[in-house]
Amino acid sequence: MTDHLDLLHSDTEEELRSAVRALLADRSAPAAVLARAESGAGHDPALWRTLARDIGTAGLLVPEKLGGQGASHREAAVVLEELGRAVAHLPYLTSAVVATEALLACPGPAAAALLHDLAAGDTVCATALP
């Protein structure tokens, strides 16, 4: 058996891509993204809830035992590709990827509780370093 890097997306990754792409096409039109950016408003909370909770992207990297999907970085990359494609202003990278990875490196119940809330889409985090 030969180890190799599979660069093709799996059916699951393509289904995730389709779901995220359809959501963004429906709810994050270029004109709306531009208007939100020019207004100085933050992200669209309703769009974030749908992406985070309904599609389940907020918990992709969180282990199943903490309420997440226990997926790999490949799935997170699919979401990031689609968010970049749509120029969507959402806290996915900072919360569902960077903060999640930082919390996964922290032992203890406080980190586990926060990871559970992140996976559920109930909390948005940003990592702050001195």
Side-chain angles (χ1 to χ4, degrees):
M1 180 193 293
T2 307
D3 288 334
H4 69 281
L5 180 63
D6 188 1
L7 298 178
L8 300 176
H9 291 290
S10 69
D11 290 342
T12 301
E13 292 163 351
E14 287 301 332
E15 289 172 15
L16 176 60
R17 177 184 308 285
S18 293
V20 173
R21 185 175 288 184
L23 172 67
L24 296 174
D26 184 47
R27 306 252 311 267
S28 189
V33 170
L34 183 59
R36 190 173 258 316
E38 288 177 347
S39 74
H43 72 276
D44 177 348
L47 177 58
W48 173 247
R49 267 191 309 279
T50 302
L51 182 72
R53 290 182 188 165
D54 298 347
I55 295 179
T57 62
L60 283 176
L61 298 178
V62 177
E64 290 181 44
K65 68 182 181 182
L66 297 175
Q69 276 59 8
S72 74
H73 291 100
R74 287 178 57 106
E75 288 85 357
V78 166
V79 175
L80 288 167
E81 288 171 2
E82 290 305 312
L83 291 172
R85 181 179 180 277
V87 195
H89 180 66
L90 293 170
Y92 186 78
L93 178 62
T94 55
S95 188
V97 178
V98 176
T100 296
E101 287 294 335
L103 287 166
L104 287 169
C106 298
L114 193 49
L115 282 164
H116 184 273
D117 291 346
L118 282 170
D122 295 333
T123 299
V124 174
C125 283
T127 305
L129 303 172

